């Protein structure tokens, strides 16, 4: 593809310009600010589209207005000759492609023409400048190698930008030794929450041992009960054995003892009933005490009674939170809009040169007023042009008059003297007389010497010639001299026969001798006098003519100046009313009125948004007052809803806690009441047993029980003894133990029974205490809340870990792709680049290579490898340019684009620059180069290139080339 010509309608500082290019190397030369970069950007933007209006890139819209855009004439191997025209329209401009077969295309045709390349891809290969090389000195080895790699392979710069972005986001998510990254923060929170959960688990872990202990107590009580019953039986057996002592003694003693111990009736199964009642009574009292303690603890934890209406009011306010945020967001947008409008307003005031805008805001900026002012300004401009024209004419006439005066003075200084004037006036008559005298003398001599007919003929011819010349040149003196000469010749012919000289001959000879040598001097003097008089007359006439012209022009000039001053006064008064200190140019009048209308529109917009802002601020202040009444504290506006939400959560938790504790207290009160009622019932039953036994205390009851038991035993023993005595008549003793021993055994069994009773009571008390504690553990839900919060944090950490994994996968994929580019695509480019680099450095470096860690190295002649960071600035740039040129050569078949070079060789020495020009001239056989430079010396190196001087670019006639 070759660029044949560009036609600029309007682009930056260029307007109506045409530049022709050749196939090989084209050098665009011009001093700074001449517009070289503007031409480069015109080519790129015409092919790939104008930037968005809000983009940071320049759009190069015409400075003086007019049509924006232009044409690029191309010759393409596939599409032939075509023209790409792009003008102002949509954001990227309206583009039309004209093919040589008469067909037309739009954006798709341009994309096909540029082989689907975008601007970034094109500039990464086929367009580079000094700016891309100036950052090499500040790069480290990694950055420099990556830059060289991206210059040698397409698309790598995009991958590197994505990789840097992903690595930054990875660092924001997680660092091994970091504290602030999100995952590090979440991990620290999880560790702290895990410690709290472990503490709660340890506290809850006590529940199972307590339940096990309760079950163990129940088993121990059952075992003690069985042991107690067994001992009771043993105790009875020992007592019976003791009672089988000698029957008679026994009967007597028993009877005596029976008389001593006999009491009223004892309740049936009274001791078992009493012990069951006592055990249950003890259990109920312990339960009651435990419930009372729990109720007291809950009452201490009980918060103040919450207000449901407060909670409802906060809920209503929280439901209206989006409205609050909308207000704040709208207010922020309004402030931003207001700031932007104020910036626009100040920019317009600066461009208008005004300090205040009050007068301009009240001014009439209608189209009718603009047209009227435009006509007046046009009229004033026309008057100014007329005045300027007249000034130039008057100045020219003054200069001409001054030149004439100077010439008159110079002529006056060289004027003839009075004597010279007199001599010039007398010479014609003297000259006539001299000619006559000469003729007379000659004829006289001829007559005396037989005559000379040839002399007569010569005199007649001279007389005729003098007459003709005088007539032609309008010199009547010469004509008179010719006539005199002819008369003399005739007289000479008539009087040639006289023989002797006369007095007249002598007089004539004396006259001739007196004036013979003065003819030439006198003729020169006559010419001098005549010339002086003619020039003096001509100069005087010219001076009068110029003075007349100057008088007429001065009259017209005064009239026009007076009219212009009147019009200027009128316009100055008008524009002073607008706040302007001087009258604007008619060319910017439309822009002035446009800016004035924009300023009025901005002022109206500012008034509208100020009213809207005040309304929203009033709403915010009212809402803030309502919220502060609810939370009863002064809170910053930005965090008031966060505080309200915290207050709502706190009130809700208090209400939940209050309801939970109230419910539990009611349950415990009910349980306590039931325990009290059951204890009262048990005490009543116990009292009934006391009344039935005829006692008042427990000790008396047990004594009565013992007496009743003893009575019963004695009665049975007596009956047995009597039965035995009746049956046997006499009783033989078969007792193996003594009475004391039996009594000791009975006493020992009694102590064991008492120990078992005490042990059973202690077990009942312990069981009651453990049941209260386990009930308290079952009703505590703090562990569940912490467990739920822990799971939420774990989910957040998992989501962050997922994001980290995705970004790490992208980095790994880019790294793999970079390795593939190095292994597959880079070697082809490197092989070409090595030759160019070696030629540029004069063989100092033979090739470019990649190290194992991916860094570029330059290989010297001796095989020594130098990291690219250790090379000089120019050598680094040469490596970069070699890779760029090699990549462009590799893309010759798929993307045969011209190369745009913006002065990238300024750091090269003379030798290497000569090598660079030789390389480009060799490559120009297949590639078109457009080289932009501002250096005069560099231009001299391009002997075979087309030199285009930007400073001499004309309009439609084309650029000046050499």
């Amino acid at each position: 593809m070759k660029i044949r010509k560009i036609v600029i309608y309007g682009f930056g500082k260029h307007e109506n310009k045409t530049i022709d290019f050749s196939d090989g190397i084209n050098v665009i030369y011009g001093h700074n600010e001449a517009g070289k970069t503007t031409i480069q950007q015109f080519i790129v933007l015409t092919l790939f589209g104008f930037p968005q209006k809000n983009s940071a890139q320049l759009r190069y819209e015409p400075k003086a207005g007019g049509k924006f855009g232009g044409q690029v004439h191309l010759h393409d191997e596939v599409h032939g000759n075509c023209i790409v025209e792009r003008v102002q329209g949509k954001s990227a401009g309206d583009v039309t492609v004209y093919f040589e077969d008469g067909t037309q295309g739009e954006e798709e045709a341009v994309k096909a023409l540029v082989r689907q390349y975008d601007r970034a891809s094109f500039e990464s290969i086929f367009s580079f400048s000094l700016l891309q090389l100036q950052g090499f000195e500040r790069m480290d080895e990694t950055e420099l190698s990556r830059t060289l790699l991206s210059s040698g392979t397409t698309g790598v710069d995009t991958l590197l930008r994505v990789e840097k972005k992903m690595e930054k986001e990875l660092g924001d998510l997680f660092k091994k030794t970091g504290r602030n990254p999100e995952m590090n923060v979440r991990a620290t929170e999880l560790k702290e929450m895990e410690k709290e959960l472990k503490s709660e688990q340890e506290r809850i872990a006590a529940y199972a041992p307590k339940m096990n202990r309760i079950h163990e107590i129940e088993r121990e009580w059952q075992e003690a009960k069985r042991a107690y019953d067994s001992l009771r039986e043993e105790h009875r057996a020992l007592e019976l054995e003791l009672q089988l002592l000698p029957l008679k003694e026994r009967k007597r003693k028993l009877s005596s003892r029976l008389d001593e111990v006999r009491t009223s009736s004892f309740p049936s199964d009274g001791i078992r009933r009493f012990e069951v009642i006592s055990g249950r009574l003890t259990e109920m009292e312990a339960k009651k005490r435990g419930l009372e303690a729990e109720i007291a603890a809950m009452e201490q934890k009980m918060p103040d009674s919450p207000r449901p209406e407060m909670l409802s009011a906060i809920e209503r306010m929280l439901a209206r939170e989006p409205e609050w945020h909308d207000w704040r967001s709208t207010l922020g947008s309004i402030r931003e809009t207001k700031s932007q409008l104020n910036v626009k307003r100040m920019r317009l005031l600066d461009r208008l040169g005004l300090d205040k805008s009050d007068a301009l805001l009240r001014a009439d900026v209608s189209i009718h007023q603009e047209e009227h002012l435009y006509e007046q300004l046009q009229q004033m401009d026309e008057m100014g042009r007329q005045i300027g024209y007249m000034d130039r004419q008057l100045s020219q006439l003054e200069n001409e008059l001054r030149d004439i005066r100077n010439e008159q003075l110079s002529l006056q200084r060289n004027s003839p003297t009075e004597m010279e004037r007199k001599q010039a006036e007398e010479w014609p008559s003297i000259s006539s007389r001299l000619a006559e005298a000469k003729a007379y003398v000659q004829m006289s001599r001829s007559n005396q010497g037989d005559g000379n007919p040839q002399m007569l003929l010569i005199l007649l011819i001279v007389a005729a010639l003098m007459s003709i010349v005088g007539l032609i040149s309008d010199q009547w003196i010469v004509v008179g001299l010719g006539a005199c000469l002819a008369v003399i010749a005739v007289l000479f012919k008539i009087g040639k026969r006289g023989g002797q000289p006369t007095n007249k001959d002598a007089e004539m000879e004396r006259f001739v001798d007196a004036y013979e040598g003065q003819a030439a001097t006198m003729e020169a003097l006559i010419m001098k006098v005549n010339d002086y008089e003619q020039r003096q007359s001509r100069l005087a006439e010219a001076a009068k003519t110029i003075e007349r012209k100057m008088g007429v022009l001065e009259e017209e000039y005064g009239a026009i100046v007076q009219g212009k001053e009147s019009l200027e006064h009128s316009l100055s008064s008008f524009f002073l009313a607008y706040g302007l200190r001087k009258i604007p140019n008619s060319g910017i009048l439309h822009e002035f009125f446009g800016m004035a209308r924009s300023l009025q529109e901005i002022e109206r917009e500012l008034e509208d948004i100020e009213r809207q802002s005040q309304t929203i601020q009033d709403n915010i202040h009212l809402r803030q007052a309502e919220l502060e009444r609810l939370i009863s504290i002064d809170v910053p506006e930005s965090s008031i809803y966060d505080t309200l939400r915290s207050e709502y959560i706190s009130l809700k938790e208090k209400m939940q806690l209050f309801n939970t504790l109230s419910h539990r207290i009611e349950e415990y009160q009910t349980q306590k009441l039931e325990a009290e009622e059951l204890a009262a019932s048990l005490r009543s039953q116990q009292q009934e047993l006391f009344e039935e036994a005829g006692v008042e205390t427990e000790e008396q009851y047990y004594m009565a029980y013992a007496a009743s038991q003893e009575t019963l035993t004695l009665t049975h023993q007596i009956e047995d003894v009597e039965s035995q005595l009746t049956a046997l008549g006499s009783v033989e003793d078969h007792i193996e133990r003594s009475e004391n021993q039996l009594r000791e055994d009975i006493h020992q069994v009694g102590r064991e029974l008492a120990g078992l009773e005490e042990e059973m009571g202690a077990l009942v008390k312990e069981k009651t205490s453990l049941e209260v504690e386990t009930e308290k553990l079952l009703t505590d839900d703090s562990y569940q809340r912490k467990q739920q919060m822990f799971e939420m944090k774990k989910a957040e950490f998992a989501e962050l870990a997922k994001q980290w994994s995705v970004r790490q996968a992208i980095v790994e994929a880019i790294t793999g792709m970079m390795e593939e580019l190095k292994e597959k695509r880079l070697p082809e480019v490197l092989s070409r680049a090595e030759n160019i680099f070696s030629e540029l450095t004069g063989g100092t470096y033979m090739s470019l290579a990649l190290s194992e860690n991916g860094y570029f190295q330059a290989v010297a002649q001796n095989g020594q490898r130098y990291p690219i960071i250790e090379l000089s600035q120019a050598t680094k740039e040469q490596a970069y340019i070699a890779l760029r040129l090699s990549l462009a050569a590799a893309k010759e078949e798929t993307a045969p684009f011209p190369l745009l070079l913006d002065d990238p060789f300024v750091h090269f020495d003379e030798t290497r620059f000569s090598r660079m020009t030789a390389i480009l001239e060799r490559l120009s056989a297949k590639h078109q180069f457009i080289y932009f430079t501002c250096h005069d010396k560099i231009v001299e190196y391009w002997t075979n290139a087309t030199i285009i001087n930007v400073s001499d670019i004309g309009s439609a006639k084309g650029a000046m080339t050499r």
Side-chain angles (χ1 to χ4, degrees):
M1 177 187 295
K2 303 293 189 298
I3 297 177
R4 298 301 188 194
K5 181 172 64 175
I6 63 172
V7 179
I8 304 176
Y9 302 152
F11 193 84
K13 68 183 294 181
H14 296 308
E15 183 178 2
N16 297 327
K17 305 292 175 65
T18 301
I19 303 176
D20 295 312
F21 295 99
S22 62
D23 288 349
I25 299 175
N26 299 267
V27 179
I28 296 182
Y29 162 73
H31 296 296
N32 294 332
E33 302 296 330
K36 304 182 298 299
T37 304
T38 305
I39 295 173
Q40 180 198 27
Q41 289 300 307
F42 171 78
I43 296 172
V44 174
L45 298 185
T46 302
L47 293 177
F48 297 97
F50 303 139
Q52 300 287 339
K53 289 189 176 181
N54 56 358
S55 172
Q57 297 176 333
L58 295 177
R59 283 174 58 85
Y60 291 92
E61 294 188 11
K63 302 299 182 185
K67 190 174 182 180
F68 178 31
Q71 296 178 349
V72 176
H73 294 240
L74 302 171
H75 174 74
D76 187 74
E77 290 76 3
V78 177
H79 301 88
N81 294 322
C82 54
I83 300 173
V84 179
E85 180 184 51
R86 190 181 295 273
V87 295
Q88 187 172 14
K90 54 188 179 182
S91 58
D94 294 334
V95 64
T96 305
V97 182
Y98 302 93
F99 295 99
E100 58 184 348
D101 59 358
T103 60
Q104 297 182 9
E106 295 181 354
E107 198 68 52
E108 292 300 323
V110 176
K111 290 182 179 179
L113 196 62
V114 298
R115 309 311 195 266
Q116 305 301 322
Y117 272 61
D118 59 6
R119 178 182 176 181
S121 301
F122 177 83
E123 290 183 336
S124 67
I125 304 174
F126 303 99
S127 175
F128 56 93
S129 65
L130 180 63
L131 292 176
Q132 294 172 285
L133 308 177
Q134 287 177 342
F136 276 16
E137 192 64 31
R138 300 186 297 273
M139 292 183 180
D140 57 24
E141 189 171 5
T142 302
E143 292 175 333
L144 185 57
S145 296
R146 288 193 171 190
T147 302
L148 291 174
L149 180 62
S150 65
S151 69
T153 52
T154 56
V156 171
D157 50 351
T158 303
L159 290 177
L160 294 178
R161 288 196 297 271
V162 174
E163 182 184 14
K164 286 184 179 180
K165 180 182 178 184
M166 292 297 104
E167 288 177 349
K168 182 180 182 302
E169 292 180 359
L170 282 173
D172 293 339
L173 287 173
F174 177 74
K175 291 181 181 177
K176 288 184 179 181
T177 58
R179 293 183 180 180
N180 297 326
E182 294 186 50
M183 290 180 66
N184 296 80
V185 173
R186 295 293 187 279
T188 304
E189 293 176 352
L190 285 173
K191 288 179 182 178
E192 296 297 328
M193 296 181 70
E194 191 173 7
K195 290 180 181 179
E196 295 178 2
L197 279 176
K198 187 175 181 181
S199 176
E200 288 292 327
Q201 288 174 346
E202 290 175 354
R203 189 174 66 85
I204 294 174
Y207 174 78
K210 292 181 185 294
M211 290 301 298
N212 293 335
R213 179 59 183 160
I214 290 173
H215 297 314
E216 185 179 352
I217 288 173
E218 290 178 351
R219 290 194 298 273
E220 290 179 358
W221 189 86
Q222 293 293 337
E223 291 175 358
K225 185 68 172 63
R226 287 194 293 272
Y228 180 79
D229 293 340
S230 175
L231 284 174
R232 290 284 297 173
E233 292 297 330
E234 183 181 356
H235 189 270
R236 292 191 184 96
L238 288 172
E239 287 179 345
L240 289 174
E241 184 179 355
L242 182 60
Q243 292 173 3
L244 291 176
L245 288 173
L247 291 178
K248 289 182 179 179
E249 184 63 28
R250 185 65 175 167
K251 179 180 178 181
R252 183 183 62 78
K253 290 180 179 179
L254 289 174
S255 298
S256 176
R257 180 61 182 167
L258 182 60
D259 292 336
E260 292 177 0
V261 300
R262 188 183 300 277
T263 60
S264 60
S265 61
F266 191 78
S268 176
D269 198 15
I271 195 63
R272 186 190 65 79
R273 290 164 60 194
F274 180 77
E275 288 175 351
V276 171
I277 291 169
S278 297
R280 293 191 65 190
L281 182 60
T282 302
E283 182 180 351
M284 290 300 107
E285 288 177 351
K287 184 176 181 180
K288 176 186 174 184
R289 288 193 297 273
L291 290 172
E292 288 175 348
E294 191 66 26
I295 290 170
M298 290 184 181
E299 287 177 348
Q300 290 180 355
K301 294 181 181 179
M302 180 73 72
D304 297 336
S305 177
R307 293 178 292 168
E309 66 279 2
M310 181 74 169
L311 196 63
S312 299
I314 293 176
E315 285 178 349
R316 287 193 300 273
M317 285 298 176
L318 287 175
R320 296 166 65 188
E321 182 178 3
E323 186 180 27
W324 167 268
H325 291 303
D326 287 342
W327 288 343
R328 285 174 55 79
S329 176
T330 303
L331 194 59
S333 300
I334 287 173
R335 291 195 186 100
E336 184 176 356
T337 303
K338 185 177 179 181
S339 176
Q340 294 175 353
L341 290 174
N342 280 324
V343 170
K344 290 181 180 179
R345 179 174 176 271
M346 294 305 298
R347 189 181 295 121
L348 288 173
L349 287 175
D350 291 340
R351 292 181 66 186
L352 290 169
L354 300 178
D355 297 330
K356 297 181 180 180
S357 60
D358 296 341
L360 191 58
L361 293 176
R362 296 189 300 269
D364 179 12
V365 292
S366 64
I367 295 177
H368 175 73
Q369 184 69 16
E370 180 181 356
E371 290 179 350
H372 176 66
L373 288 176
Y374 183 77
E375 290 174 356
Q376 289 186 322
L377 286 174
Q378 288 291 103
Q379 184 180 356
M380 190 174 72
D381 290 342
E382 181 62 29
M383 289 180 176
R385 284 192 292 272
Q386 291 178 1
I387 290 171
Y389 176 74
M390 289 183 177
D391 280 334
R392 289 191 297 273
Q393 284 188 319
L394 286 172
S395 177
Q396 183 177 357
L397 290 174
E398 287 176 354
N399 292 333
E400 292 177 359
L401 184 60
R402 183 169 57 252
D403 293 341
I404 290 172
R405 298 300 186 197
N406 292 334
E407 191 174 352
Q408 286 178 332
L409 290 175
S410 177
L411 186 64
Q412 188 69 31
R413 284 194 296 270
N414 299 322
S415 62
T417 62
E418 291 296 328
M419 182 179 292
E420 289 176 339
R421 289 176 182 272
K422 184 177 181 181
Q423 288 176 352
E425 289 175 357
E426 292 177 351
W427 176 253
S429 59
I430 294 174
S431 176
S432 176
R433 289 174 60 196
L434 179 63
E436 182 180 353
K438 283 182 178 181
Y440 183 85
V441 170
Q442 185 69 27
M443 286 187 295
S444 176
R445 290 175 181 176
S446 297
N447 291 332
Q448 292 175 6
D450 297 331
N452 190 354
Q454 292 182 351
M455 180 62 69
L456 179 63
L457 180 61
I458 291 171
L459 289 173
L460 291 174
I461 293 171
V462 170
L465 290 174
M466 289 178 65
S467 299
I468 293 170
V469 171
L471 289 172
I472 293 172
S473 62
D474 201 16
Q475 296 288 331
W476 298 105
I477 296 175
V478 178
V479 175
L481 289 175
C484 291
L485 186 60
V487 170
I488 291 171
V490 172
L491 293 176
F492 177 77
K493 180 68 177 175
I494 295 172
K496 69 179 180 177
R497 290 185 179 89
Q500 295 296 325
T502 63
N503 291 331
K504 187 175 182 180
D505 292 338
E507 182 180 355
M508 289 295 178
E509 288 179 357
R510 287 194 299 272
F511 188 82
V512 170
D513 292 337
Y515 292 99
E516 177 68 27
Q518 298 182 10
T521 304
M522 297 307 294
E523 288 294 333
L525 181 61
I526 291 171
M527 291 181 63
K528 177 181 178 181
V529 171
N530 291 336
D531 182 63
Y532 171 77
E533 291 177 350
Q534 290 174 2
R535 290 178 63 189
Q536 184 74 15
S537 175
R538 187 174 66 253
L539 291 175
E541 185 65 28
K544 291 179 181 179
T545 303
I546 292 172
E547 288 174 351
R548 285 195 301 271
K549 290 181 179 180
M550 288 180 65
V552 173
L553 283 175
E554 286 174 352
E555 290 179 3
E556 294 178 359
Y557 183 85
I560 294 174
V561 167
Q562 185 176 2
K564 183 183 177 184
E565 289 177 351
S566 175
L567 187 58
E568 280 183 346
H569 179 72
S570 175
L571 289 173
S572 297
S573 301
F574 177 81
F575 282 106
L576 282 174
Y578 279 78
L580 296 178
R581 291 185 293 272
K582 64 179 183 178
I583 301 172
N585 192 302
S586 60
I588 64 170
L589 182 64
H590 178 69
E591 184 179 0
F592 166 74
F593 270 87
M595 289 189 289
R597 296 186 191 107
S598 300
L599 191 62
Q600 291 184 354
E601 291 175 1
I602 288 172
E603 195 66 29
R604 288 193 290 272
E605 290 181 13
L606 284 172
E607 292 176 357
D608 292 340
I609 64 174
E610 185 64 33
R611 289 193 294 271
Q612 186 180 0
S613 172
Q614 188 61 42
T615 302
I616 293 175
Q617 286 179 352
D618 293 342
N619 293 335
I620 288 175
H621 291 157
L622 290 174
R623 178 67 58 82
Q624 187 173 5
E626 293 178 9
L627 296 175
E628 288 178 350
R629 284 198 299 273
L630 286 176
I631 59 180
S632 301
I633 56 174
D634 292 334
V635 181
E637 179 183 314
S638 59
S639 60
I640 191 165
Y641 258 96
D642 294 335
T643 306
L644 183 66
R645 195 176 294 105
S646 300
E647 184 70 17
Y648 173 74
I649 293 172
S650 175
L651 284 175
K652 196 167 184 180
E653 288 178 352
K654 286 181 180 179
M655 178 166 283
Q656 291 176 350
L657 180 62
F658 180 82
N659 294 334
T660 302
L661 293 178
S662 298
H663 180 66
R664 290 180 185 173
I665 289 173
E666 289 177 1
E667 290 180 353
Y668 288 167
Q669 291 285 6
T670 302
Q671 293 178 13
K672 176 185 173 185
L673 183 60
E674 291 175 355
E676 289 177 347
E677 291 177 353
L678 184 56
S681 175
L682 291 173
R683 288 192 190 92
S684 177
Q685 294 177 17
Q686 193 179 52
Q687 190 62 34
E688 289 176 358
L689 289 176
F690 284 168
E691 290 176 356
E692 188 176 349
V695 296
E696 295 180 357
T697 64
E698 181 178 350
E699 184 179 1
Q700 291 176 353
Y701 184 79
Y702 274 103
M703 290 176 62
Y705 169 70
S708 65
Q709 289 296 104
E710 188 177 358
T711 299
L712 182 59
T713 301
L714 290 173
T715 302
H716 289 308
Q717 289 177 353
I718 289 172
E719 289 177 353
D720 290 341
V721 170
E722 288 177 349
S723 175
Q724 291 177 8
L725 288 173
T726 302
L728 297 174
S730 64
V731 179
E732 295 182 0
D733 294 331
H734 298 286
I735 300 173
E736 297 179 357
R737 290 176 292 188
S738 65
E739 182 178 357
N740 292 334
Q741 187 177 2
L742 285 172
R743 291 189 181 280
E744 287 179 4
D745 291 340
I746 291 171
H747 184 67
Q748 180 65 29
V749 171
R751 286 199 302 273
E752 292 180 2
L753 286 173
L756 286 174
E757 289 177 357
E758 184 178 354
E759 181 181 353
M760 291 171 67
L763 289 174
V764 170
K765 291 180 180 179
E766 184 180 359
K767 178 184 176 184
T768 304
S769 177
L770 290 173
E771 286 178 347
V772 172
E773 292 179 4
T774 53
E775 180 67 21
K776 180 179 179 182
L777 288 174
L778 286 174
T779 56
D780 190 357
D781 60 348
S782 61
Y783 175 75
Q784 286 75 11
R785 290 198 305 271
K786 291 181 179 179
Q787 179 69 25
Q788 183 179 7
M789 186 62 69
F790 180 72
E791 294 299 329
M792 290 172 62
K793 293 293 183 181
K794 280 176 64 179
E796 292 177 2
F797 184 81
E799 179 62 27
L800 291 173
K802 180 180 178 182
Q803 296 177 13
W804 185 89
S805 300
V806 170
R807 284 157 177 76
Q808 183 65 27
I810 292 173
V811 172
E812 294 296 334
I814 292 175
T815 302
M817 191 175 297
M818 292 284 291
E819 293 298 327
E820 182 180 0
L821 289 173
K822 291 178 185 178
E823 295 175 1
K824 295 182 179 180
R825 298 179 60 183
L826 189 58
E828 178 185 358
V829 177
L830 277 179
S831 64
R832 291 190 178 95
E834 287 176 352
N835 298 329
I836 299 175
F837 185 59
S838 176
E839 184 176 351
L840 275 175
T841 59
T844 303
Y845 299 100
M846 300 302 296
S847 63
L848 290 170
L850 279 174
S851 64
E852 295 180 356
N853 53 7
Y855 294 148
F856 266 94
Q857 296 177 338
V859 183
Q861 285 182 341
N862 58 3
Q864 181 71 32
R865 292 173 177 258
Y866 295 93
I868 205 74
I869 193 68
E870 296 179 2
L871 303 180
S872 67
Q873 174 71 14
T875 308
K876 294 175 191 174
E877 295 175 3
Q878 289 156 14
Y880 177 83
I881 292 170
L883 286 167
R884 275 293 184 93
L885 294 177
S886 175
L887 181 60
K891 295 287 183 181
E892 178 186 353
E893 295 183 0
T894 58
F897 300 137
L899 275 79
L900 310 180
L901 312 181
D902 192 356
D903 227 352
F905 310 142
V906 294
H907 291 154
F908 292 11
D909 56 35
E910 185 174 355
T911 302
R912 297 196 180 188
F913 186 81
S914 298
R915 295 171 186 163
M916 190 73 251
T917 57
I919 292 171
L920 291 186
E921 287 178 356
R922 186 174 64 251
L923 294 176
S924 66
K926 294 183 178 180
H927 296 274
Q928 183 186 35
F929 290 91
I930 300 177
Y931 185 86
F932 300 85
T933 184
C934 63
H935 300 282
D936 300 335
K937 189 175 181 180
I938 290 178
V939 175
E940 297 174 359
Y941 283 92
W942 303 99
T943 57
N944 298 325
T946 299
I947 308 298
I948 301 172
N949 193 335
V950 178
S951 303
D952 296 335
I953 291 180
S955 59
K957 294 182 180 180
M960 299 296 292
T961 61
R962 56 184 177 88

